[in-house]
């Protein structure tokens, strides 16, 4: 076989040459699926070459005309596609359609065919190569990624015949299915909506080549033999619309011989089996081959010299199918561009059935089922990738919408105001909603209401909500009035992060030398010392044009490191989205750990934060970031303003329940849902914070008691270097290089520190659950250290102990752990609670202290005893216990490592979280508000305004 691709491409680009012997070229089509002209599977082959015709002495038959050269037909399609694309690009210069091809085969010739045809037409191709042995799920994963990639306008599959399945084919988005293999595209074709769908390029090539060769299809008997799936259905549909009588047959059909003999045209959808005699095909029958044998040199319908003829060269189907796929790609791009333009809404308004008397607002809200937000978004012209959905009835809209519709004229701008407010409320929100309802539902005019998100302060204070009222309200009103998408909470967190940074910075500057402060602000990490982007911005503001931390002079280091904030000038206040009059004036910094630094401060309502104002006034992410950085929070002692940028712009805050001062576990509902989803043989892995003595104990005694779920196994994580510290290793300070005890082998420290691991294993065993120790291996760990830890863990009663390398190898590095956990979880659970909740509060606290922490006893302060008496009297004595204790030690003293013994656990206070359902003892000097270090992580957390992604998290 000769398949000289470069020659073919030269012929496409040059004037037509005299026809010569046809060349056999690979056909871009789906093998058994009948898919389109895509890579991977088929060769378009006409059953009779010109040479074969000559050898057999056959002719085209009466009334036939000489077929056009195949390269002329292909060039016409490519040139037409190129011209259409050029017209599209005149109005959209940056537009260039992209075809993605997922290949899971050894077929590389087709890649070059597609690449060069696309280049000729002006398209781009992205090629995703998977191993030939890739399974169905791997292929679908790649399909789903391409589906969501807005840069890609068409997707084709070049995979083995065995990989084609309905599941794979229908994973494609119909609007990107340029080979017409999905049920949606096929269904539209069958219904007669061919202009709204993609049609198989192979099927189109067959029809077009026959018609361009002078074959009148009306009344012809067509046999589609050996075809499957969408190709078979598409060929039948297209032939029937041309007036042909269409038959379909598989190779093993008993009536195949008679069908072959009576057919005027035979289309082969797969290779002809050897046992099917060629004599069954009548001489003069037109035979087109859409099978995939050509590349190997086989002819699906025989070999040269077979006495039947056809009017078309054998490689016309293959090349024209490839070109028609390019044509489909241009059509896909044109549709995509059309979708980017503004379109009139296709909004279907919900029907109202007002009642009299009018029910309460919440009754009205709940009586109406909101439209799914993704459906609403589509009706009003939003694209799927322009919304971020929150639940079923809420979504955020991406700022990219502004760029897409930048050429669309603005509508009319109307303001709803009111008279001087009274305690009764004037109903501006209700009027706004009612007006928009009238415009949209009754006047058929596109209209939007733009309302403010309600603050929980007034909602829980005097107003009761701000969603409008009656039948002119935003629904569901509960979601609108409570949290919505969490923006107010995000503002609160960012605001208070900045407030904490101000006071923490003053404290650290008051207690450290210039050198110590500078070294902590710009630490050496893995031997490299560099400024963060936020710090570089501060240097520029100070007029210090240096980027190397080691080159600053003492004066420059002082200038950089010290903000010298004057506490009396601080204007930045903490905020809370709650009406609480007793926070109007407070004194902060009264704990002994703040070293005498205290000042008067106050809380504001969250919606009064300057960050809220920035959010309301900004016009882009870049603008918002700059505005946040410019916020003035105080003055320095020289009277110069100190801005948020000097401290580090607050952009993103992650929140969650701590295990040392809260219960430290994910939600019960999340676990229950996950457990249902994974099925009987699946696994749900959830995490408890800090050590087993804190997070795990609360998981068992609080969370499992509330959920009724029974755990099957515990995975206890340890590291060699942590065990070394418990064995007496030197203290560790963040940002300071580790001592050699932690980077070099030290068997004795490891052995001594394993006492803590053994204790935690014993704690887990108190609850009757099997324990698997996962040793998280670092590159400095030695084999002897690893083996020692695993051996001692097993001696302590662990079901198994496994070294893990997931940090460096991903899931592959934790395969052994997975097996161990699977085996441990298969054992019968003997789960039990540590204590009976009916015990007195003091006894439950004592049980935890002695059995879990290893204390000799507990000591209650007078205040703690008084609280316990009060809660018992109020009927809350039967709740479980949530200890608030340092996470840095089994005891109440953070510096006591290993397994402290013979200590008395002091209980300084006791609180009650009745709604959550637990009593909350405070151990020792534990604080419920952690402090910031000298160099908080937010120095490295920033917002990339180009990608709209947060960076610097770890």
């Amino acid at each position: 076989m000769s398949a000289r691709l470069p020659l073919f491409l030269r012929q496409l680009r040059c004037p037509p040459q005299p026809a010569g012997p046809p060349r056999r070229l690979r056909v871009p089509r789906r093998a058994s699926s009948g898919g389109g002209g895509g890579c991977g599977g088929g060769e378009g082959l006409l059953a009779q070459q010109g040479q074969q015709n000559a050898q057999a002495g056959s002719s085209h038959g009466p009334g036939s005309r000489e077929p056009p050269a195949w390269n002329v037909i292909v060039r016409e399609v490519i040139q037409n596609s190129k011209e259409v694309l050029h017209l599209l690009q005149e109005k959209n210069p940056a537009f260039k359609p992209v075809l993605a091809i997922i290949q899971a085969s050894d077929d590389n010739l087709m890649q070059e065919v597609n690449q060069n045809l696309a280049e000729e037409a002006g398209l781009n191709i992205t090629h995703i190569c998977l191993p030939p042995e890739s399974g169905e799920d791997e292929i679908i994963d790649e399909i789903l990624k391409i589906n969501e990639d807005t840069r890609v306008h068409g997707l084709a599959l070049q995979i083995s015949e065995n990989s084609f399945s309905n599941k794979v084919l229908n994973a494609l988005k119909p609007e990107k299915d340029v080979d017409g293999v999905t049920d949606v595209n096929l269904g539209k074709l069958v219904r007669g909506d061919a202009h709204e769908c993609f049609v198989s390029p192979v099927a189109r090539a067959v029809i077009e080549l026959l018609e361009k060769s002078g074959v009148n299809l009306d009344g012809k008997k067509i046999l589609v033999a050996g075809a499957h799936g969408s190709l078979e259905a598409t060929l039948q549909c297209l032939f029937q619309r041309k007036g042909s009588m269409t038959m379909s047959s598989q190779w093993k059909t008993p009536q195949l011989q008679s069908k072959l003999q009576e057919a005027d045209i035979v289309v082969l959808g797969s290779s002809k089996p050897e046992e099917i005699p060629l004599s069954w095909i009548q001489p003069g029958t037109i035979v087109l081959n859409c099978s995939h044998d050509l590349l190997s040199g086989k002819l699906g319908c025989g070999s040269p010299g077979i006495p039947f003829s056809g009017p078309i060269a054998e490689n016309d189907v293959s090349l024209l199918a490839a070109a028609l796929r390019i044509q489909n790609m241009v059509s896909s791009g044109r549709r995509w561009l059309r979708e980017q333009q503004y379109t009139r809404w296709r909004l279907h308004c919900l029907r109202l059935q007002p009642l009299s008397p009018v029910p309460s607002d919440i009754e009205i809200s709940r009586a109406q089922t909101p439209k799914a937000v993704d459906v609403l978004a589509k009706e009003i012209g939003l694209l799927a990738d322009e919304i971020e959905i929150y639940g079923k009835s809420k979504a955020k809209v991406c700022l990219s919408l502004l760029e897409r519709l930048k050429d669309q004229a603005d509508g009319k701008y109307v303001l709803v105001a009111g008279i001087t407010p009274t305690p009764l409320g004037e109903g501006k929100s209700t009027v706004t909603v009612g007006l928009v309802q009238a415009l949209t539902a009754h006047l058929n005019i596109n209209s939007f209401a733009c309302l403010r998100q309600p603050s929980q302060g007034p909602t829980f204070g005097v107003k009761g909500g701000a969603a409008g009222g009656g039948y002119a309200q935003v629904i569901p009103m509960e979601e609108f009035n409570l949290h919505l998408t969490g923006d107010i909470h995000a503002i609160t967190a960012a605001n208070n992060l900045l407030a904490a940074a101000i006071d923490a910075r003053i404290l650290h500057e008051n207690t450290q030398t210039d050198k110590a402060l500078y070294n902590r602000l710009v630490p050496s990490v893995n031997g490299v010392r560099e400024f963060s982007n936020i710090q570089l911005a501060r240097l520029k503001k100070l007029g210090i044009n240096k980027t190397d931390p080691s080159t600053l002079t003492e004066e420059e280091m002082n200038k950089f490191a010290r903000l010298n904030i004057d506490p009396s000038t601080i204007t930045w206040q903490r905020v809370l989205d709650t009406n609480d009059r007793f926070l109007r004036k407070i004194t902060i910094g009264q704990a002994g750990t703040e070293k005498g630094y205290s000042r008067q401060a106050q809380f504001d309502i969250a919606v009064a934060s300057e960050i809220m104002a920035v959010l309301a006034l900004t016009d882009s992410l870049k603008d918002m970031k700059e505005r946040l950085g410019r916020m003035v929070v105080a003055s320095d002692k020289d009277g110069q303003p100190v801005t948020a940028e000097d401290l580090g712009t607050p952009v993103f805050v992650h929140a969650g329940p701590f295990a040392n001062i809260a219960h430290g576990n994910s939600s019960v509902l999340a676990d229950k849902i996950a457990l249902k989803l994974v099925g009987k043989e699946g696994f749900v892995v959830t995490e408890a914070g800090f050590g087993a003595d804190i997070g795990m104990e609360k998981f068992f005694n609080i969370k499992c008691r509330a959920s009724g779920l029974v755990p099957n196994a515990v995975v206890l994580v340890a590291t060699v270097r942590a065990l070394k510290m418990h064995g007496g290793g030197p203290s560790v300070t963040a940002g300071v290089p580790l001592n050699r005890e932690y980077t070099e082998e030290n068997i004795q420290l490891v052995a001594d520190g394993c006492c803590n691991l053994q204790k935690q294993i014993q704690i887990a065993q108190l609850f009757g659950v099997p324990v698997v120790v996962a040793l998280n291996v670092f590159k400095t760990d030695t084999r002897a250290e690893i083996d020692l830890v695993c051996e001692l863990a097993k001696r302590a009663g662990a079901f198994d102990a496994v070294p893990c390398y997931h940090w460096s190898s991903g899931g592959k590095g934790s395969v052994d752990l997975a097996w161990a956990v699977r085996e441990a979880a298969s054992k019968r659970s003997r789960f039990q609670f540590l204590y009976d909740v009916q015990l007195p509060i003091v006894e439950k606290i004592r049980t935890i202290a002695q059995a879990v922490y290893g204390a000799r006893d507990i000591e209650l302060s007078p205040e703690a005893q008084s609280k316990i008496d009060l809660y018992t009297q109020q009927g809350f004595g039967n709740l479980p216990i949530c200890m608030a204790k340092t996470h840095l030690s089994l005891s109440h003293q953070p510096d006591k490592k290993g397994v402290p013994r013979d200590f008395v656990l002091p209980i300084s206070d006791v609180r009650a979280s009745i709604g959550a359902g637990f009593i909350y003892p405070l151990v020792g000097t534990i604080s419920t508000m952690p402090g910031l270090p000298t160099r908080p992580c937010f120095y490295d957390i920033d917002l990339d305004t180009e990608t709209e992604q947060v960076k610097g998290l770890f």
Side-chain angles (χ1 to χ4, degrees), residues 550-753:
S550 64
T551 61
L552 268 66
T553 65
E554 289 187 5
E555 181 181 356
E556 288 171 336
M557 284 192 290
N558 173 276
K559 194 175 180 181
F560 168 81
R562 294 197 177 275
L563 298 179
N564 289 321
I565 296 173
D566 181 352
S568 65
T569 67
I570 296 174
T571 57
W572 194 263
Q573 308 297 344
R574 289 163 172 81
V575 300
L576 193 66
D577 196 34
T578 302
N579 287 0
D580 191 339
R581 68 177 62 248
F582 288 95
L583 293 179
R584 291 173 179 171
K585 181 175 288 189
I586 60 173
T587 301
I588 63 172
Q590 297 191 78
T593 52
E594 293 4 290
K595 303 179 182 180
Y597 169 66
S598 64
R599 67 179 183 89
Q600 282 196 341
Q602 69 184 60
F603 270 79
D604 293 334
I605 190 73
V607 289
S609 168
E610 186 177 351
I611 297 176
M612 177 64 84
V614 167
L615 182 63
L617 294 172
T618 190
D619 61 10
S620 68
L621 278 174
K622 183 175 183 295
D623 179 53
M624 182 180 72
K625 182 178 176 180
E626 291 172 352
R627 287 172 180 263
L628 290 171
R630 293 197 300 264
M631 294 185 305
V632 176
V633 301
S635 298
D636 64 20
K637 294 176 182 178
D638 294 327
Q640 296 300 310
V642 177
T643 66
E645 194 172 47
D646 293 321
L647 290 142
T649 306
V651 174
F652 186 87
V653 179
H654 170 74
F658 287 2
N660 56 346
I661 58 175
H663 77 280
N665 288 276
S666 63
S667 75
V668 169
L669 280 176
D671 292 359
K672 287 188 173 182
I673 292 170
L675 286 165
K676 297 295 184 185
L677 289 174
V678 300
K680 183 177 180 180
E681 302 301 323
F683 278 75
V684 172
V685 182
T686 189
E687 179 190 1
F690 296 127
D693 59 307
I694 299 180
M696 186 189 70
E697 182 269 322
K698 295 172 183 178
F699 175 90
F700 289 144
N701 283 322
I702 298 176
K703 184 176 179 180
C704 290
R705 204 184 296 267
S707 68
L709 299 174
V710 176
N712 297 103
V714 168
V715 175
L716 195 59
V717 180
T719 66
V720 166
R721 57 188 191 180
L723 292 173
K724 287 179 177 179
M725 175 172 281
H726 280 292
S731 61
V732 174
T733 304
V736 177
L738 292 173
N739 288 284
R740 61 184 181 85
E741 286 86 349
Y742 298 107
T743 58
E744 299 174 4
E745 183 174 278
N746 193 317
I747 297 297
Q748 189 59 53
L749 277 182
V750 174
D752 292 343

Side-chain angles (χ1 to χ4, degrees), residues 62 75 156 256 490 533 571 587 629 691 844 932 942 946:
R75 185 186 301 106
L256 177 62
N533 288 335
T571 57
T587 301
K844 287 181 284 193
L932 290 170
D942 203 357
E946 296 296 323

Side-chain angles (χ1 to χ4, degrees), residues 280-324:
W280 288 6
I281 303 176
Q282 295 295 318
T285 301
I286 301 173
V287 182
L288 292 91
N289 191 345
C290 299
S291 71
H292 59 286
D293 290 324
L294 184 57
L295 191 60
S296 62
K298 301 177 184 177
L299 296 178
C301 54
S303 57
I306 299 302
F308 58 86
S309 65
I312 310 168
E314 64 178 12
N315 34 357
D316 284 3
V317 174
S318 63
L319 297 172
L320 183 55
L324 289 173

Side-chain angles (χ1 to χ4, degrees), residues 879-944:
L879 294 176
I881 304 299
C882 183
M883 302 286 280
K885 183 186 77 68
T886 178
H887 58 286
L888 299 174
S889 173
L890 284 164
S891 74
H892 58 288
Q893 297 173 290
D895 58 340
K896 299 294 184 182
K897 306 302 180 184
V899 182
R901 302 182 187 280
D902 199 37
F903 62 92
V904 175
L905 193 73
I907 308 299
S908 57
D909 196 5
V910 177
R911 301 174 187 172
S913 295
I914 305 305
F918 51 74
I919 300 297
Y920 186 11
L922 279 69
V923 178
T925 58
I926 186 70
S927 170
T928 56
M929 180 61 74
L932 290 170
T934 302
R935 190 186 193 279
C937 294
F938 59 69
Y939 276 105
D940 300 306
I941 299 172
D942 203 357
L943 178 66
D944 188 326

